[in-house]
Amino acid sequence: MSADMGKRLQGVRKRRGLTQRELASVSGVSVSLIRKLEQGERADTRLETARRLAVALRVPTTSLVSPAAGADQDAEPDGDDQWAPVRQALVRPLGSADMSEAPTVAGMRDLIDAALPLFSGDRFRELSLILPAMIRDADLIAETGGPAGRGVRVRLMQLTGWLLTQTRQFGAADTALDRSLHDASDHLQIAATANTRCWLLLRQGRLGEARELAVRWADQVEPRISRATPAELSAWGWLLLRASAAAVRDNRPGEAEDTLRYANSAAVAMGREFAPGDDFLRAFGPVTVALKRAENAMVVDRPDLVLKLSARIPTSGMRATSNNRNRHLLDVAEAHTRARDYAKAIDVLQEIRASAPEWLSNQRYARDIFGRIIARRRTLTPDMRILADAIGVPM
């Protein structure tokens, strides 16, 4: 968070007539942390903490957090950087082709289709190896293949932007999404890219920008529901879900519920979970909305509601992707942790580890949950030590 947050926090607290201890009591944030924030001794407070303080002070979260507050929240990793070749491919000028067989539009489409299981299965290591060449071939095809070639690059840049957002390569994700927007030729392509950009902004803590972008594009693509295609319903519904996610984190519960209700109307019209064009990024329907409703419940500190909603969600038949099931399972694990049912929380984390180990290792949320669990234990079982390594919790 910005170093200026402490000054804003102190100013709002005093205007509300609260002492630091009273604010701690109302918000659930420790008085020692509030004191450190106000004295400028802490500048790395999580967005979740800022939201709790904002709720207690009855102000939007963004009034405490500066516009660029989330920019450094998840810095790109040092050391063994598997994504460096991908970032270089995104910005490297296209050189002259020196290939015995130039790529074709049809061939690139087939290659992207073949790579989709790697994206939907969160197989990051394999993607980091093949993406640089795919990006360079897509660049060549976009230059030589006309509108069809540019359409291929739009698709690859959408997937790359999503992947890099997932793995916290925020600057590179922004570059990929910019390139996708540059080539996009219709409003549904643009809406799909805007949807991922909203998610990128959310992960950076840029709540106001995410909310504004989501609402603007939801208005742009709002269909007449009685005549809407599944692709139109998916595009509109996802943008409404992003708007709801931004609003609930910005302490705007009424707006969050309103946009979630509109998203549910799109899901009801869809009738079932459906991925237009077999695009897993656009999979949308009643289950997706239910998962996001549970996510909102966790944001507003309702672990009891998360567990209640989770019991009604038929997740067994869903693909274990970070877009839906695994993200929801982290909320379930957190809800069990809040209820001090640590055994169930660990079982849920183990379930995620079994299905998506590379995804789990990239989740700070998972590290926070497991860190709180082991802080209450004197010793760890061998299985718990393995889980700690998988999540990335230092021992």
Side-chain angles (χ1 to χ4, degrees), residues 13 16-28 31 34 56:
R13 175 180 63 78
R16 291 286 186 263
L18 296 173
T19 65
Q20 291 178 337
R21 192 167 298 279
E22 287 169 338
L23 177 56
S25 177
V26 175
S27 66
V31 67
I34 292 172

Side-chain angles (χ1 to χ4, degrees), residues 103-106 109 137-154 182-185 189:
T104 65
V105 171
R109 283 176 177 158
D137 283 357
D139 283 345
L140 180 62
I141 286 184
E143 296 295 327
T144 61
R150 290 191 292 275
V152 167
R153 184 163 65 179
V154 167
H182 181 268
D183 287 335
S185 60
Q189 282 184 336

Side-chain angles (χ1 to χ4, degrees), residues 152-171:
V152 167
R153 184 163 65 179
V154 167
R155 180 71 180 118
L156 183 60
M157 289 299 102
Q158 287 174 342
L159 287 163
T160 302
W162 174 86
L163 172 70
L164 294 171
T165 300
Q166 184 72 273
T167 54
R168 303 184 186 280
Q169 307 297 304
F170 294 149

Side-chain angles (χ1 to χ4, degrees), residues 236 284 340:
W236 186 52
F284 180 79
R340 299 188 178 184

Side-chain angles (χ1 to χ4, degrees), residues 200-219:
L200 169 61
L201 292 169
L202 283 167
R203 295 207 84 185
Q204 292 176 294
R206 295 158 65 180
L207 304 181
E209 293 173 70
R211 188 169 129 266
E212 179 184 347
L213 181 62
V215 170
R216 183 170 77 248
W217 272 101
D219 288 344

Side-chain angles (χ1 to χ4, degrees), residues 30-350:
S30 70
V31 67
S32 63
L33 178 54
I34 292 172
R35 185 178 298 117
K36 289 178 180 178
L37 287 170
E38 292 191 357
Q39 293 175 350
E41 297 177 14
R42 281 286 298 272
D44 59 347
T45 303
R46 298 292 300 278
L47 186 62
E48 176 185 349
T49 302
R51 192 202 67 82
R52 289 189 179 193
L53 292 167
V55 170
L57 294 168
R58 304 189 306 281
V59 297
T61 311
T62 44
S63 70
L64 298 180
V65 179
S66 67
D72 297 324
Q73 184 174 321
D74 295 306
E76 293 178 355
D78 296 323
D80 181 16
D81 185 358
Q82 70 185 58
W83 299 110
V86 177
R87 293 200 301 272
Q88 291 167 6
L90 285 170
V91 300
R92 180 181 298 159
L94 182 65
S96 59
D98 183 17
M99 295 175 287
S100 58
E101 185 178 358
T104 65
V105 171
M108 275 302 300
R109 283 176 177 158
D110 289 344
L111 186 58
I112 291 172
D113 287 343
L116 283 179
L118 303 183
F119 285 96
S120 63
D122 302 304
R123 290 155 65 179
F124 300 149
R125 179 62 64 179
E126 292 170 79
L127 286 168
S128 71
L129 296 175
I130 67 171
L131 263 181
M134 290 180 69
I135 292 170
R136 285 190 284 273
D137 283 357
D139 283 345
L140 180 62
I141 286 184
E143 296 295 327
T144 61
R150 290 191 292 275
V152 167
R153 184 163 65 179
V154 167
R155 180 71 180 118
L156 183 60
M157 289 299 102
Q158 287 174 342
L159 287 163
T160 302
W162 174 86
L163 172 70
L164 294 171
T165 300
Q166 184 72 273
T167 54
R168 303 184 186 280
Q169 307 297 304
F170 294 149
D174 195 55
T175 299
L177 295 173
D178 272 344
R179 297 185 69 186
S180 177
L181 283 173
H182 181 268
D183 287 335
S185 60
D186 67 65
H187 70 290
L188 289 182
Q189 282 184 336
I190 296 172
T193 303
N195 171 37
T196 301
R197 172 154 274 154
C198 289
W199 183 43
L200 169 61
L201 292 169
L202 283 167
R203 295 207 84 185
Q204 292 176 294
R206 295 158 65 180
L207 304 181
E209 293 173 70
R211 188 169 129 266
E212 179 184 347
L213 181 62
V215 170
R216 183 170 77 248
W217 272 101
D219 288 344
Q220 289 274 351
V221 302
E222 180 178 0
R224 181 174 294 182
I225 290 184
S226 61
R227 301 179 183 178
T229 65
E232 290 170 336
L233 290 170
S234 171
W236 186 52
W238 263 113
L239 288 163
L240 291 167
L241 290 178
R242 300 301 189 199
S244 182
V248 75
R249 286 164 173 79
D250 199 21
N251 192 28
R252 299 173 184 267
E255 184 177 332
E257 183 57 36
D258 286 345
T259 47
L260 191 63
R261 186 170 63 252
Y262 286 126
N264 189 63
S265 69
V268 170
M270 184 83 87
R272 61 185 176 88
E273 292 296 304
F274 181 73
D278 290 326
D279 180 356
F280 78 97
L281 292 183
R282 294 191 290 164
F284 180 79
V287 174
T288 296
V289 174
L291 295 175
K292 294 304 179 182
R293 186 178 294 280
E295 182 178 319
N296 282 8
M298 182 53 72
V299 171
V300 298
D301 295 323
R302 288 292 310 277
D304 57 322
L305 183 56
V306 171
L307 295 177
K308 183 178 179 180
L309 291 170
S310 179
R312 303 173 183 171
I313 299 173
T315 58
S316 59
M318 297 176 61
R319 290 176 296 176
T321 68
S322 53
N323 267 13
N324 42 54
R325 184 172 181 266
N326 288 334
R327 178 58 179 79
H328 171 67
L329 288 177
L330 283 183
D331 283 330
V332 173
E334 172 71 348
H336 285 311
T337 301
R338 299 275 187 93
R340 299 188 178 184
D341 194 341
Y342 303 125
K344 286 186 179 178
I346 290 172
D347 286 345
V348 173
L349 292 173
Q350 292 282 26

